[in-house]
Amino acid sequence: MQFPESWLRSFCNPPLNTQELADLLTMSGLEVEELRPVAPPFHGIVVAEILEAEQHPNADKLRVCKVNAGAAFNNGEPLQIVCGAPNARVGIKVPLATVGAELPPGEDGKAFKIGVGKLRGVESFGMLCSARELKLSEEHGGLLELDASALVGQNIREHLNLDDTLFTLKLTPNLAHCLSVYGVAREVSALTGTPLQAPAISPVQPQHDAKLPVRIEAADLCGRFSGRIVRGVNTQAKTPAWMVDRLARCGQRSVAPLVDISNYVMFELGRPSHIFDLDKIDRELVIRWAKKGESLKLLNGNTVELDETVGVVADASAPESLAGIMGGDATAVSDDTRNVYVEAAFWWPKAVAGRSRRYNFSTDAGHRFERGVDPADTALHIERITQLILEICGGEAGPMDDQTTALPERKPVALRVARAAKIIGMPVTQEDCARVFSRLGLQFSEASGVLTVTPPSWRFDLQIEEDLIEEIIRVMGYPSLPNTPPLAPVVAKVASESRRAIHALRHAVAARDYFETINFSFVEARWEAELAGNSNPIQLLNPIAAPLAVMRSSLIGSLIQALRHNLSRRASRVRLFEIGRVFLRDASVQESDSSIAGVAQPMRLAGLAFGPADQPQWSQRDRQVDFFDVKGDLEALFAPRLLQFKPAQHPALHPGRSARVELDGRDIGVIGELHPKWRQGYELPSAPVLFELDLPAVLERQLPAAQAIPRQQSVLRDLAVIVGEQVSHDALMQTIASAHTGLIRSARLFDVFKPTQANAELKEGERSMAVRLELLDDEATLTDERIEQTVAAVVAALAEQLGARLRG
């Protein structure tokens, strides 16, 4: 929010300079984002009146003017100025840069000094200035014409109040009561104790008895609606310079007198309003929810489609404005308008919130109404608008029409003084709290140690005890807090050695040639349905973009999108991983400080590999990454813990090239190649290999245990057995381990053989698997007899459990 300091001080003028005032506002929660002077530095420029304006004898586009700059210049005699502005004419008052004056610095940063010049043979003793030359605006079509009441010879900085400062506040959503100059002044008054000067608003005496019929059909949309008819207005009137200047310094350009008045009152009092062309309204106004299929052309030229969730102000024929957001084009005031209907209402914040963003625009009115606008002063603000219309545009006002359906209930909030002192961290008395509430204009009652506050109509943010505690320290001043060092010893929490840090995990994954990516937690609903098999994802009430409308239950969709982003930039080899949170519906989750009822939020580690398995090199041919490359990455990541991979089905993965990942018998995730259907659907040149694992399982690790170096030598024995093709590597290893001989230190598969055609030894559907056994006894040297017994036990176990036989 932007406003000039002079306007603020017209309501409340504390004994503080500009910087002190800005610091006070910032430390009270109204952050001053920027302080900026209204005009850059310049001097020697005064108000002058053009007395004569004759054509230059040697130039068609120049005029020779005689100007009166006051008694202080040229002994009161007129000055001769050569000027090329098209609007240089007799009788107007304009800025004059006298000889010796300095204009604002140009692009080179140097000030422009005015001296006596000669243009086409005619001397010029100064320069008449445009707004652009004074750096007041970008207008440069002619001289800056001043008000006819301007005093000739007066310094232009004094006349235009150019030593003013623009305040830009960065307000949080709970400070809706400060979205006006008067609202900020009310805060300054409370913070400093300086009296508040309320604007003088006197009721307008009706000159006729005409009323426009108004019906409120939706009490949950509009709680109060005030309005009146004003007849015979002159829309060709000129907006006063003081109003134009104040609007400009609030960042709002002047449009037309009626629009300017409405905007002015919004910045002054925080009340958005709307002025209808009365003659364009069909019989009545109806405040209701829109009907599906209705449309409305707005003042910004857009035509929007409406539905039952959008509030409108309609006449007997059609909707005429979006409630609390923007007026419609059909009933907009114009130069031909003679009769108007002035409206101010209280729209429920929930009925306005998010509606303008649905149509991809925002308005000052919607910004205020969705945060809460004081419902108590709609009629008073109609009086203020009417007062300004009559002063500027003339006309005759009718009687006020004020209807109330339902207003916000102001529930009392109790404050315990002892709790306030505990949370603030310094002694606070009941008298201190009462003094703060009185300065803020809050009604309250007192009991021993407790104050019960009834929030005023303009404070929508006072709902719980903590809100009142914040008000107390905010008004008392954060600098008053004592510098109290912590009394408890600060001891770092020692992490368990059985769990590695997430940062260490990132390094470990990056060491496997993966790059980390960070993605939004909200994704497209298509990803959830196709890649996670989630037909009922958690919906966002207010998504930042239409496609990103649901919370993700898997990281796979985010990685696929990141892959597509890289491929569109001609990346040929992509390795990505992400550590992030997913969001699952789970009725067993209870509400707590770190959880939301019904929503589980586990952390996951997911990765993706695409393209060549290795960087190009001379010693080997290029090949595409496959399932076993990524499987090896996971095994290296978990080493020395052993993973098991079991065939599994997953919505995103190839049914024959995917597996469930198990650790110590627990299911911890999936790995596999992207399903061919989704490879085509997401327009990928080849299928990437993906994995997704539960993060807590990945972070677990076994503590190292000391083990003595073997005192005996190990013995190796190779064993080739013939098994059916359906026998897997895991089944073979588990069967060998089940022999329970006590001497097997390790077993490793080193060869698989299947003939191209059946032979006498290997029948169709069989293959040979060769295993190297490592046998060791730490206590004694192995004998041939013990070795043969162990091998025989392994062969027997394989024969019994897998139907294996030794290969000849």
Side-chain angles (χ1 to χ4, degrees):
M1 178 184 169
Q2 178 180 300
F3 58 87
E5 180 183 1
S6 59
W7 198 359
L8 174 66
R9 290 187 182 273
S10 69
F11 292 126
C12 182
N13 190 13
L16 303 172
N17 62 34
T18 300
Q19 189 59 54
E20 290 171 340
L21 179 59
D23 293 341
L24 174 72
L25 290 173
T26 297
M27 291 305 296
S28 66
L30 284 71
E31 180 185 352
V32 178
E33 192 172 31
E34 183 185 20
L35 289 177
R36 180 163 52 88
V38 168
F42 58 79
H43 66 84
I45 302 175
V46 298
V47 177
E49 181 180 5
I50 299 179
L51 304 177
E52 298 179 13
E54 298 179 354
Q55 184 66 42
H56 193 289
N58 301 320
D60 294 338
K61 295 186 178 181
L62 295 179
R63 289 174 178 267
V64 180
C65 301
K66 299 290 185 179
V67 302
N68 176 19
F73 298 94
N74 198 30
N75 296 321
E77 295 296 320
L79 294 170
Q80 178 173 284
I81 309 291
V82 179
C83 177
N87 64 333
R89 64 186 187 276
V90 175
I92 64 171
K93 294 180 179 179
V94 294
L96 167 65
T98 58
V99 175
E102 288 189 357
L103 293 180
E107 295 181 359
D108 57 358
K110 297 180 181 179
F112 182 73
K113 192 169 184 179
I114 302 298
V116 177
K118 183 177 286 189
L119 283 79
R120 295 290 183 94
V122 178
E123 286 190 315
S124 181
F125 298 88
M127 186 179 84
L128 302 180
C129 303
S130 68
R132 186 176 186 178
E133 287 163 337
L134 299 181
K135 299 291 181 68
L136 300 182
S137 73
E138 291 302 314
E139 294 293 333
H140 62 286
L143 301 176
L144 174 60
E145 297 188 29
L146 304 176
D147 191 82
S149 62
L151 182 64
V152 172
Q154 184 181 24
N155 188 304
I156 198 70
R157 298 192 73 91
E158 180 182 349
H159 172 68
L160 296 179
N161 192 21
L162 298 182
D163 292 323
D164 204 354
T165 303
L166 298 183
F167 278 61
T168 301
L169 303 188
K170 186 178 181 181
L171 299 177
T172 50
N174 64 313
L175 296 175
H177 58 287
C178 295
L179 285 170
S180 66
V181 180
Y182 181 73
V184 176
R186 185 167 48 202
E187 288 296 301
V188 173
S189 176
L191 294 169
T192 63
T194 306
L196 179 66
Q197 302 296 326
I201 304 175
S202 56
V204 174
Q205 294 300 320
Q207 300 297 312
H208 59 82
D209 58 359
K211 279 189 177 184
L212 178 69
V214 175
R215 286 187 292 114
I216 302 177
E217 293 184 351
D220 55 343
L221 169 63
C222 178
R224 184 176 182 182
F225 192 93
S226 304
R228 70 160 25 123
I229 293 174
V230 182
R231 289 176 172 172
V233 298
N234 176 19
T235 56
Q236 303 294 325
K238 187 176 181 181
T239 304
W242 60 267
M243 182 178 288
V244 173
D245 288 343
R246 282 187 171 177
L247 287 174
R249 294 176 187 185
C250 290
Q252 179 68 51
R253 68 179 181 87
S254 175
V255 179
L258 291 175
V259 177
D260 292 345
I261 290 169
S262 179
N263 287 332
Y264 181 84
V265 173
M266 180 180 69
F267 287 118
E268 180 185 44
L269 303 175
R271 166 73 57 190
S273 60
H274 188 62
I275 301 177
F276 295 87
D277 187 324
L278 179 66
D279 299 324
K280 296 177 183 178
I281 298 175
D282 185 7
R283 289 172 285 174
E284 63 176 354
L285 287 182
V286 181
I287 291 84
R288 59 175 174 82
W289 295 104
K291 300 173 184 177
K292 190 172 182 61
E294 289 184 322
S295 62
L296 172 64
K297 185 178 181 182
L298 300 172
L299 289 174
N300 61 6
N302 294 347
T303 299
V304 296
E305 299 298 325
L306 308 176
D307 59 29
E308 298 87 345
T309 63
V310 179
V312 296
V313 178
D315 60 14
S317 303
E320 299 299 346
S321 73
L322 279 182
I325 299 173
M326 184 180 288
D329 180 71
T331 54
V333 295
S334 65
D335 292 344
D336 299 327
T337 298
R338 292 294 174 266
N339 305 308
V340 298
Y341 184 78
V342 183
E343 164 265 306
F346 168 69
W347 307 101
W348 288 96
K350 289 183 179 180
V352 178
R355 269 57 172 192
S356 59
R357 287 187 291 277
R358 177 185 303 180
Y359 301 116
N360 298 319
F361 67 86
S362 62
T363 63
D364 287 332
H367 181 78
R368 286 163 170 78
F369 278 123
E370 67 184 6
R371 285 160 173 77
V373 176
D374 186 0
D377 293 332
T378 57
L380 183 66
H381 294 170
I382 287 288
E383 298 287 4
R384 174 61 169 161
I385 296 170
T386 307
Q387 183 183 62
L388 291 171
I389 291 176
L390 297 182
E391 288 178 6
I392 298 170
C393 302
E396 297 180 345
M400 178 80 67
D401 180 15
D402 186 17
Q403 300 184 36
T404 300
T405 56
L407 298 181
E409 180 183 359
R410 297 305 184 186
K411 297 181 179 179
V413 182
L415 171 75
R416 294 165 289 177
V417 177
R419 177 167 171 78
K422 180 179 179 181
I423 290 181
I424 292 173
M426 71 177 189
V428 176
T429 65
Q430 187 161 333
E431 290 73 17
D432 292 332
C433 299
R435 191 180 308 112
V436 168
F437 294 155
S438 297
R439 288 168 63 176
L440 288 170
L442 307 182
Q443 296 182 358
F444 63 93
S445 60
E446 294 188 62
S448 180
V450 178
L451 291 88
T452 302
V453 174
T454 302
S457 58
W458 66 83
R459 294 299 297 266
F460 287 76
D461 58 319
L462 302 181
Q463 299 179 3
I464 59 177
E465 186 177 26
E466 283 71 14
D467 295 331
L468 298 177
I469 295 173
E470 180 185 5
E471 293 299 298
I472 291 171
I473 187 56
R474 192 171 66 85
V475 174
M476 292 179 65
Y478 292 109
S480 64
L481 289 171
N483 295 323
T484 306
L487 300 178
V490 179
V491 180
K493 184 178 180 180
V494 179
S496 171
E497 293 185 19
S498 62
R499 189 177 187 275
R500 60 177 153 185
I502 293 182
H503 193 61
L505 174 63
R506 287 191 171 95
H507 277 276
V509 182
R512 304 300 301 175
D513 207 17
Y514 289 80
F515 290 86
E516 185 174 14
T517 179
I518 300 174
N519 299 290
F520 286 130
S521 294
F522 19 90
V523 298
E524 293 186 30
R526 174 194 174 190
W527 301 356
E528 282 297 296
E530 296 177 349
L531 302 176
N534 184 6
S535 60
N536 185 27
I538 299 171
Q539 299 282 338
L540 288 169
L541 294 178
N542 186 23
I544 63 171
L548 307 180
V550 301
M551 303 300 291
R552 63 183 179 182
S553 63
S554 170
L555 305 183
I556 290 178
S558 300
L559 291 178
I560 294 294
Q561 182 62 20
L563 171 62
R564 297 179 66 197
H565 181 82
N566 280 270
L567 292 178
S568 67
R569 284 150 182 79
R570 307 184 72 84
S572 59
R573 184 175 186 271
V574 181
R575 298 287 190 282
L576 301 172
F577 80 94
E578 181 179 5
I579 296 174
R581 197 175 297 281
V582 298
F583 303 85
L584 311 169
R585 296 187 185 275
D586 187 347
S588 65
V589 177
Q590 301 298 317
E591 186 80 21
S592 71
D593 294 339
S594 59
S595 63
I596 298 173
V599 180
Q601 305 177 52
M603 294 287 288
R604 300 270 179 86
L605 165 67
L608 175 149
F610 174 88
D614 295 301
Q615 297 287 356
Q617 54 178 299
W618 63 269
S619 62
Q620 65 181 28
R621 294 181 178 178
D622 289 344
R623 67 175 181 83
Q624 294 295 304
V625 68
D626 60 19
F627 175 92
F628 297 101
D629 293 314
V630 179
K631 175 176 176 286
D633 290 335
L634 294 188
E635 289 175 333
L637 197 62
F638 278 83
R641 307 180 74 190
L642 299 178
L643 296 176
Q644 291 182 319
F645 299 87
K646 302 293 181 64
Q649 299 289 326
H650 188 277
L653 303 179
H654 192 298
R657 300 176 185 175
S658 59
R660 182 176 68 253
V661 183
E662 293 186 355
L663 176 67
D664 300 331
R666 291 177 295 144
D667 182 2
I668 65 168
V670 293
I671 179 177
E673 186 178 293
L674 185 66
H675 198 290
K677 179 168 59 175
W678 307 135
R679 182 190 69 78
Q680 293 180 352
Y682 291 91
E683 300 177 344
L684 303 176
S686 60
V689 181
L690 305 110
F691 66 85
E692 184 172 21
L693 307 173
D694 289 329
L695 184 63
V698 183
L699 296 179
E700 293 175 9
R701 65 178 179 183
Q702 293 177 339
L703 294 178
Q707 186 175 3
I709 297 175
R711 293 177 294 176
Q712 307 294 333
Q713 287 188 340
S714 61
V715 175
L716 302 178
R717 286 291 185 270
D718 292 345
L719 192 64
V721 294
I722 298 173
V723 296
E725 286 185 345
Q726 75 281 1
V727 175
S728 65
H729 170 269
D730 283 348
L732 188 68
M733 294 297 109
Q734 289 176 8
T735 303
I736 293 173
S738 68
H740 299 297
T741 64
L743 299 181
I744 301 176
R745 184 186 180 98
S746 66
R748 183 180 298 275
L749 178 69
F750 67 87
D751 182 55
V752 177
F753 171 72
K754 181 180 179 182
T756 56
Q757 58 185 2
N759 57 34
E761 188 174 17
L762 273 74
K763 301 175 183 177
E764 186 176 353
E766 293 183 333
R767 60 180 173 176
S768 170
M769 303 179 75
V771 180
R772 176 161 293 166
L773 304 177
E774 182 183 8
L775 310 179
L776 177 66
D777 186 345
D778 287 336
E779 303 299 330
T781 302
L782 290 176
T783 63
D784 289 342
E785 182 180 359
R786 297 180 66 193
I787 293 171
E788 294 304 328
Q789 288 177 352
T790 299
V791 172
V794 170
V795 172
L798 291 172
E800 179 181 351
Q801 298 182 32
L802 302 179
R805 65 182 187 278
L806 280 175
R807 183 177 174 188

